[in-house]
Amino acid sequence: MLRFLNHSFKKAVVLLTLLTGYGHAQCTTRRCLAEMLIKKEYLSQPQTENCTQNIFVKFLEYQTLSVDTKSLLLISRLRATLEWTDPDLAWNTSVYQFNEVILPVSKIWSPELHVTNGITTEMSHSSPDLLANSKGTVIHSVIINAQVICEVNLFNYPFASDKCPVAIQGWSRMGCGTNLVFGELKTVIASSGEWETGNATLERKRSDRNFILVPLSIKSTQPFITLVLPSILIVIADAVSFALPLGGGERNGFKVTLVLSFTMFLIILNDELPGDGECSPIIRFHFCCCLVILVVSMLWSMVMTRLFAEGRFGLFRQSKGPVSGNAGGGNAKEDEEVKAEVGVDVLGGVKEDGQILKKVVNFLEAIDGKTRESDRNQRFASKLDHIFFWFYLNSGIATLPTSNSVMVALTFSVLHRMF
């Protein structure tokens, strides 16, 4: 009986040995090895003694997709090549003659990256597969799309430039989680609307706070042509309109048209102008100066037209009553009497030449007095108009270049939101 048991045990050992050798012989392909690793179902993070897994970001590519100037949002795209070590995914190359295999990313654990100062962050895998080697090293690429609130200093708009931080890190809690170790950073230099991106740099706030500092600047040519230049040209057109005569109303009509056109221009641009942020853009002060200059010029032209025509600055036109009750009716009444008397003398046959001549002279002198008074009023109005024109021109020359110089040269620093 003992000999029978001993013989059976030897057969079992031989059979197990053959089966083991047969199993090893079956995994002669990469796919077989991959299926063996998948069946382990290691979906949790590799656990080490210090509860932290180092993730090497061998390559990080940053690209600015767009900048929402109105809402101060930076929309960016990051592509990262990650590398980490999972000892449980290692194998013996003397048994399995392969150094790398391809595994589906959904069947093993992979790290997640977050943009911590973003209002929305979406991470996706660049491929449904990843690469694992015999030492347990795993290589994978991910894509992150994020929207970051970037309080860009727009005081100098449209000549603004600033730097915006994009904080990137992995998951960690109370000393456990992932620790990112960065390698090469590449910036995709491209224009995003009216903004352009400079060379981004990797910065570190503390051991677990890494961020990409993105330089942003506005391409000032288009905003200058569409915003600043039209306002300057409208003010120049208003200055040239002083060449139009005061009488007739052509100048007033032209200036009113300019004011209304500029007002509509500002209403249309209201949705295009940047938000306030911490520093309100000085271009608003520029538009305010232009509008004030145009309105003051229009009102002045109206007052001068009244002075040119009637010789006074009154805001209200005095209504004319009966001829006998007119305040200036002395001369008018005398003129009517002269006309009546001349008519009576002619019709009545009165031939007193001396009286007729005297009355005619008085009539002509009254007309000449009115003409001289009108000329005097017109010269006075024209003189005041010329004085105001030079004051207006000098003020415009001082104000507009100064505001544009401030837009270019004066800068303020903005404390960006901490994360």
Side-chain angles (χ1 to χ4, degrees):
M1 184 66 181
L2 183 61
R3 292 179 59 187
F4 175 75
L5 292 175
N6 189 21
H7 181 69
S8 299
F9 178 74
K10 289 181 179 179
K11 287 184 177 180
V13 171
V14 172
L15 181 60
L16 289 174
T17 303
L18 292 175
L19 289 175
T20 303
Y22 179 76
H24 285 310
Q26 291 299 312
C27 276
T28 57
T29 63
R30 295 180 187 270
R31 189 172 187 180
C32 177
L33 177 59
E35 291 295 330
M36 185 190 71
L37 295 175
I38 290 172
K39 289 179 181 179
K40 292 183 177 182
E41 296 183 352
Y42 289 138
L43 299 177
S44 62
Q45 175 184 321
Q47 307 293 321
T48 59
E49 293 182 1
N50 60 2
C51 199
T52 302
Q53 176 70 32
N54 287 329
I55 307 297
F56 296 93
V57 185
K58 297 179 61 178
F59 178 77
L60 181 61
E61 181 182 85
Y62 174 84
Q63 180 180 4
T64 298
L65 299 181
S66 64
V67 179
D68 189 342
T69 309
K70 188 71 175 178
S71 303
L72 300 180
L73 285 179
L74 173 66
I75 303 173
S76 56
R77 176 181 181 271
L78 296 94
R79 182 176 177 272
T81 300
L82 309 178
E83 180 180 308
W84 68 96
T85 300
D86 190 343
D88 296 320
L89 295 179
W91 66 85
N92 189 350
T93 54
S94 62
V95 178
Y96 306 101
Q97 305 296 322
F98 307 105
N99 289 323
E100 300 94 4
V101 293
I102 299 174
L103 301 176
V105 69
S106 60
K107 297 300 181 179
I108 67 170
W109 176 86
S110 60
E112 289 190 3
L113 303 184
H114 306 277
V115 176
T116 55
N117 64 335
I119 57 175
T120 60
T121 302
E122 180 183 351
M123 193 194 85
S124 60
H125 301 283
S126 60
S127 171
D129 299 313
L130 48 75
L131 183 66
N133 64 24
S134 59
K135 296 180 180 180
T137 302
V138 184
I139 301 175
H140 184 50
S141 296
V142 296
I143 298 174
I144 304 173
N145 293 302
Q147 292 185 4
V148 180
I149 297 179
C150 185
E151 297 178 353
V152 180
N153 183 5
L154 295 174
F155 178 79
N156 302 92
Y157 185 87
F159 305 98
S161 62
D162 204 351
K163 294 182 178 181
C164 184
V166 179
I168 180 171
Q169 67 179 77
W171 180 88
S172 62
R173 288 291 185 278
M174 300 178 64
C176 291
T178 56
N179 178 44
L180 299 183
V181 181
F182 288 90
E184 179 185 0
L185 172 64
K186 177 184 177 182
T187 306
V188 178
I189 306 297
S191 299
S192 304
E194 62 180 7
W195 291 85
E196 58 185 0
T197 306
N199 288 316
T201 58
L202 275 171
E203 306 287 341
R204 170 170 287 192
K205 186 177 178 182
R206 63 176 198 240
S207 59
D208 60 340
R209 290 291 185 271
N210 303 282
F211 62 93
I212 304 171
L213 199 58
V214 183
L216 298 172
S217 60
I218 294 180
K219 295 179 289 185
S220 58
T221 302
Q222 181 178 354
F224 180 82
I225 293 175
T226 57
L227 299 178
V228 180
L229 185 59
S231 61
I232 295 176
L233 293 179
I234 289 176
V235 174
I236 292 176
D238 183 71
V240 174
S241 69
F242 279 92
L244 295 174
L246 280 174
E250 293 87 354
R251 182 198 287 191
N252 292 341
F254 183 75
K255 287 182 176 292
V256 169
T257 302
L258 287 180
V259 171
L260 294 178
S261 300
F262 191 71
T263 303
M264 291 300 299
F265 173 72
L266 294 182
I267 292 174
I268 294 172
L269 290 180
N270 184 52
D271 294 334
E272 302 297 329
L273 291 177
D276 287 336
E278 292 190 10
C279 296
S280 182
I282 197 174
I283 193 173
R284 298 186 177 181
F285 173 76
H286 168 81
F287 288 144
C288 181
C289 289
C290 292
L291 185 59
V292 169
I293 288 174
L294 293 175
V295 172
V296 170
S297 174
M298 178 189 68
L299 296 178
W300 176 265
S301 180
M302 291 180 178
V303 173
M304 287 298 101
T305 301
R306 181 70 179 274
L307 180 63
F308 184 87
E310 301 182 8
R312 55 194 177 89
F313 294 98
L315 295 179
F316 302 99
R317 186 180 184 90
Q318 295 182 358
S319 59
K320 293 184 179 180
V323 176
S324 59
N326 193 350
N331 293 331
K333 183 176 181 180
E334 183 179 353
D335 295 341
E336 294 294 334
E337 291 178 354
V338 171
K339 292 179 180 179
E341 291 177 3
V342 171
V344 171
D345 289 342
V346 174
L347 295 175
V350 181
K351 302 300 184 180
E352 297 178 358
D353 295 339
Q355 292 182 357
I356 294 175
L357 182 59
K358 182 179 179 179
K359 293 175 181 180
V360 171
V361 169
N362 291 336
F363 176 72
L364 294 177
E365 286 179 351
I367 295 177
D368 184 62
K370 285 186 176 182
T371 303
R372 287 197 301 270
E373 182 181 1
S374 177
D375 291 341
R376 185 168 58 252
N377 294 337
Q378 292 178 5
R379 286 195 299 269
F380 180 65
S382 298
K383 184 176 181 180
L384 289 180
D385 194 54
H386 282 100
I387 294 174
F388 179 80
F389 168 74
W390 289 111
F391 172 77
Y392 174 87
L393 186 63
N394 292 328
S395 299
I397 292 175
T399 303
L400 296 181
T402 299
S403 63
N404 284 277
S405 299
V406 169
M407 278 191 284
V408 176
L410 189 60
T411 58
F412 287 95
S413 60
V414 173
L415 182 61
H416 294 286
R417 181 174 298 179
M418 306 303 289
F419 52 86

